[in-house]
């Protein structure tokens, strides 16, 4: 078993092993820290350890391939952290599996949340509202114009749960600079769009999620 100081030069100087074989260099100062070389030339840093002394099974955890970000120095630092876990009776392999599982869970939740928000994007809900209004409102074309002129520029692809009362007040006030009646129409259209979202996506967007309790209704009407 080859031992020596693991440095960049030492790692890159390890000769390639025979086909389907592995070559190792184990550090002579940090016990359990090593580098493995495959017959294809891949050089990877790793640690080797036993959780319960000589009677227990030898385990290994790969730190990463030689290169960026894993240099001999950075890998040595990570190896020291992992070997400290062993000293504290924490198995780095099991801890790594748990961390990976948690990362996968978080990613899955993020994907699920992104899918939910995509369904609740203002542009999506507003378009669906206009489609539904064609069957129930004689003045649906006016609603469509209000959305295109006063609402869509402010909210675009923003998910409805991310739209705050302040956002709505600002949008309505901006429409009101053109005419007081425009402010009321913008307010009414927005309220109808939110109500449509509540009706169609009760599970994703309950009535309690509406910010309209803190929205100032413009005068008129």
């Amino acid at each position: 078993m080859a031992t020596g100081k693991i440095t960049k030069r030492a790692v890159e100087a390890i000769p390639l092993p025979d086909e389907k074989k592995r070559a190792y260099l184990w550090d002579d100062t940090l016990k359990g820290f090593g580098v493995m070389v495959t017959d294809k030339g891949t050089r990877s840093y790793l640690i080797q350890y036993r959780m319960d002394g000589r009677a227990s099974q030898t385990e290994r955890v790969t730190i990463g391939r030689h290169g960026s970000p894993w240099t001999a120095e950075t890998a040595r630092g990570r190896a020291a952290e992992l070997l400290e876990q062993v000293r504290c009776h924490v198995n780095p392999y099991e801890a790594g599996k748990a961390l990976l599982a948690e990362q996968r869970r978080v990613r899955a939740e993020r994907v699920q949340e992104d899918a939910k928000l995509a369904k609740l994007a203002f542009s999506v809900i507003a378009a669906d509202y206009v489609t539904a209004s064609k069957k129930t409102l004689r003045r649906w074309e006016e609603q469509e114009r209000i959305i295109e002129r006063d609402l869509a520029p402010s909210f675009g692809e923003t998910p409805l749960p991310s739209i705050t009362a302040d956002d709505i007040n600002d949008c309505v006030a901006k429409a009101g600079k053109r005419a007081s009646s425009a402010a009321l129409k913008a307010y009414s259209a927005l309220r109808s769009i939110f109500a449509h979202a509540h009706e169609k996506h009760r599970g994703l967007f309950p009535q309690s999620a509406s910010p309209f309790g803190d929205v100032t209704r413009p005068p008129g009407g």
Side-chain angles (χ1 to χ4, degrees):
M1 182 174 67
T3 61
K5 179 71 171 180
I6 291 181
T7 63
K8 180 177 184 295
R9 178 177 295 181
V11 170
E12 295 176 354
I14 301 172
L16 298 187
D18 295 335
E19 187 176 359
K20 297 183 179 179
K21 299 291 184 179
R22 300 287 186 269
Y24 295 89
L25 173 64
W26 298 100
D27 195 67
D28 58 5
T29 57
L30 181 59
K31 185 178 179 181
F33 174 44
V35 62
M36 177 187 72
V37 181
T38 70
D39 60 326
K40 303 299 183 182
T42 300
R43 299 164 194 269
S44 301
Y45 297 102
L46 72 158
I47 62 166
Q48 178 173 284
Y49 59 95
R50 296 177 189 269
M51 287 303 299
D52 298 304
R54 292 182 178 275
S56 62
Q57 181 179 351
T58 298
E59 299 185 67
R60 289 175 177 171
V61 170
T62 300
I63 295 172
R65 289 188 178 186
H66 173 63
S68 179
W70 296 112
T71 64
E73 291 74 20
T74 58
R76 180 183 297 278
R78 180 56 177 158
E81 292 174 358
L82 295 174
L83 292 168
E84 177 63 16
Q85 290 183 17
V86 174
R87 193 186 70 80
C88 295
H89 306 290
V90 175
N91 190 325
Y93 176 72
E94 296 299 332
K97 283 203 306 182
L99 176 61
L100 183 59
E102 176 63 13
Q103 290 172 338
R104 287 173 176 167
R105 184 190 65 78
V106 170
R107 283 197 297 270
E109 287 185 353
R110 187 178 298 120
V111 169
Q112 188 177 34
E113 181 66 14
D114 289 345
K116 167 188 169 182
L117 294 179
K119 288 182 180 180
L120 296 174
F122 176 82
S123 60
V124 173
I125 298 298
D128 193 66
Y129 166 71
V130 169
T131 299
S133 295
K134 291 178 181 180
K135 303 175 184 178
T136 59
L137 295 179
R138 284 183 294 178
R139 302 178 67 180
W140 66 266
E141 290 177 319
E142 181 183 32
Q143 293 285 286
E144 187 173 43
R145 286 194 297 271
I146 292 169
I147 291 169
E148 292 176 351
R149 181 183 59 209
D150 296 322
L151 308 185
S154 293
F155 302 121
E157 303 299 317
T158 305
L160 263 61
S162 299
I163 297 175
T164 67
D166 286 342
D167 295 331
I168 294 173
N169 285 330
D170 289 344
C171 176
V172 170
K174 186 175 180 180
K177 291 180 179 179
R178 189 174 66 257
S180 59
S181 60
L184 183 59
K185 288 178 180 179
Y187 170 88
S188 298
L190 267 172
R191 195 175 186 95
S192 296
I193 290 169
F194 272 74
H196 179 75
H198 297 318
E199 181 66 27
K200 187 167 183 179
H201 300 287
R202 293 178 185 274
L204 297 179
F205 194 52
Q207 189 71 36
S208 59
S210 175
F212 270 88
D214 296 317
V215 174
T216 304
R217 184 184 187 280

